[in-house]
């Protein structure tokens, strides 16, 4: 992972609310992962609505984000994933609102 990807992931986490986001959603720090141009958040199992247990937020070239809400399933020794919903063209100040709409989890008090 490049330093740029880590910086993007840290920026997204900050825009989601940083430590308040972590506290309100029950996310463990070791389940936050910098991915190519974004951040992946693994949520506690059966915590969010629609079975969502993973969220990917990716920075697009247009300086907006794509948010993918995913249901990961473990089948024996392998994982399968199902994208529950995807929201494109998200501005930084919409991240918290869309996260809450899709998962049912608040990002702040």
């Amino acid at each position: 992972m490049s330093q740029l990807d880590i910086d993007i992931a840290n920026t997204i986490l900050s825009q989601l609310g940083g430590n308040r986001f972590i506290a309100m959603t029950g996310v463990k720090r070791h389940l936050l992962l910098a991915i190519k141009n974004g951040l992946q958040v693994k949520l506690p199992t059966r915590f969010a609505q629609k079975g969502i247990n993973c969220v990917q937020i990716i920075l697009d070239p247009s300086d907006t984000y794509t948010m993918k809400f995913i249901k990961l399933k473990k089948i024996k020794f392998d994982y399968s994933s199902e994208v529950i919903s995807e929201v494109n063209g998200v501005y930084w100040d919409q991240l918290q609102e869309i996260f809450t709409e899709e998962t049912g989890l608040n990002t702040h008090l």
Side-chain angles (χ1 to χ4, degrees), residues 38-106:
L39 174 70
Q40 178 173 295
V41 178
K42 179 102 172 39
L43 299 170
T45 306
R46 293 187 273 279
F47 206 59
Q49 64 189 17
K50 304 176 197 171
I52 295 167
N53 57 7
C54 181
V55 179
Q56 292 180 344
I57 304 171
I58 300 163
L59 178 63
D60 298 322
S62 62
D63 205 27
T64 60
Y65 295 104
T66 296
M67 299 180 75
K68 293 181 182 180
F69 299 90
I70 302 165
K71 181 178 183 179
L72 294 175
K73 296 180 237 172
K74 186 174 182 182
I75 303 170
K76 294 192 181 186
F77 298 105
D78 199 12
Y79 283 91
S80 69
S81 63
E82 172 187 356
V83 176
I84 303 297
S85 64
E86 183 173 322
V87 183
N88 298 298
V90 178
Y91 291 98
W92 74 269
D93 59 349
Q94 298 173 304
L95 288 173
Q96 291 184 22
E97 178 184 345
I98 293 172
F99 183 91
T100 299
E101 286 174 9
E102 294 294 324
T103 64
L105 302 174
N106 288 317

